[in-house]
Each structure stands twice: as C-alpha cells, then as structure tokens.
Amino acid sequence: MAEYTSGLFGCFGDFKICIVTLLCPCYTQGVVASKVGESGFCSILHGASFFVPILNLACRFTIRRRVQRDSGIGQSAARDLLAVLLCYPCTLCQDARETNAGLCMART
C-alpha cells in the first residue's frame, strides 16, 4: 500500500495550506471534504463541524479515512485516531496536501 506524499509534521511543505489551516481550519476541512466526494452542503457541514467538540473529531477522522481510501494509503484506524486526537491541524494539512486541495483564495 502507498504512503502519504508528505509526513505528518511536514506542515511547512506547502506554506499556503499551513497558514490557511492555522487561520481558518474550518475552511480547509470543508475543502478537503469536497475533494473526497462530499458535495456542496455536506462539505459546508464538515467545515462547520470544526466548532462542535467531538463532532469535529469524528468528521476529521471520517474524512481522513476517505482520503486514504481514495489515495490507496494503508494505515491503521488506531493510528489515524491517535493522529487526529493528538495532531488535528497536522492531519488536516497533510490531507489537504494529499488531495491537492489548493485552497483557492480570491485574488485582488
């Protein structure tokens, strides 16, 4: 099975994703959710779940597993759960890089 293209603590591998995730993690979570097949309103709900304790962890874990499934990454559920619990922002950055989320931002 494949591995992630960047490590869990490779947050600065894509500085744009790192900064956007630091300032607005709900946006990053919504974008990653849409990249793995959550459509419109569902991806907004995944982003909004960031503000609801416990639900945010469940959504983050679910989306992380989908990213792995779609990318052919084989990692144990226990390892993912620990990563989400202990390094939530790092897992979010890693999944955004893996899905090539891009995090489109308006240009002026």
Side-chain angles (χ1 to χ4, degrees):
M1 296 225 111
E3 292 287 323
Y4 276 97
T5 56
S6 60
L8 182 61
F9 299 110
C11 297
F12 296 106
D14 186 326
F15 198 67
K16 180 177 156 186
I17 288 175
C18 180
I19 293 298
V20 170
T21 302
L22 176 67
L23 297 176
C24 192
C26 55
Y27 175 74
T28 305
Q29 181 140 315
V31 171
V32 171
S34 70
K35 287 288 191 171
V36 294
E38 293 293 332
S39 61
F41 188 68
C42 287
S43 64
I44 292 170
L45 287 177
H46 276 286
S49 75
F50 178 79
F51 299 104
V52 182
I54 305 302
L55 180 60
N56 65 348
L57 296 173
C59 287
R60 176 88 280 280
F61 178 75
T62 302
I63 295 300
R64 185 164 177 83
R65 297 300 289 174
R66 287 187 189 166
V67 168
Q68 291 174 357
R69 180 195 66 205
D70 293 351
S71 301
I73 297 170
Q75 208 167 7
S76 73
R79 184 175 173 185
D80 283 334
L81 184 58
L82 280 175
V84 167
L85 288 172
L86 302 175
C87 306
Y88 188 101
C90 297
T91 62
L92 192 50
C93 284
Q94 187 180 38
D95 289 341
R97 287 189 309 272
E98 194 65 35
T99 58
N100 297 314
L103 303 179
C104 299
M105 312 246 340
R107 295 178 190 242
T108 56

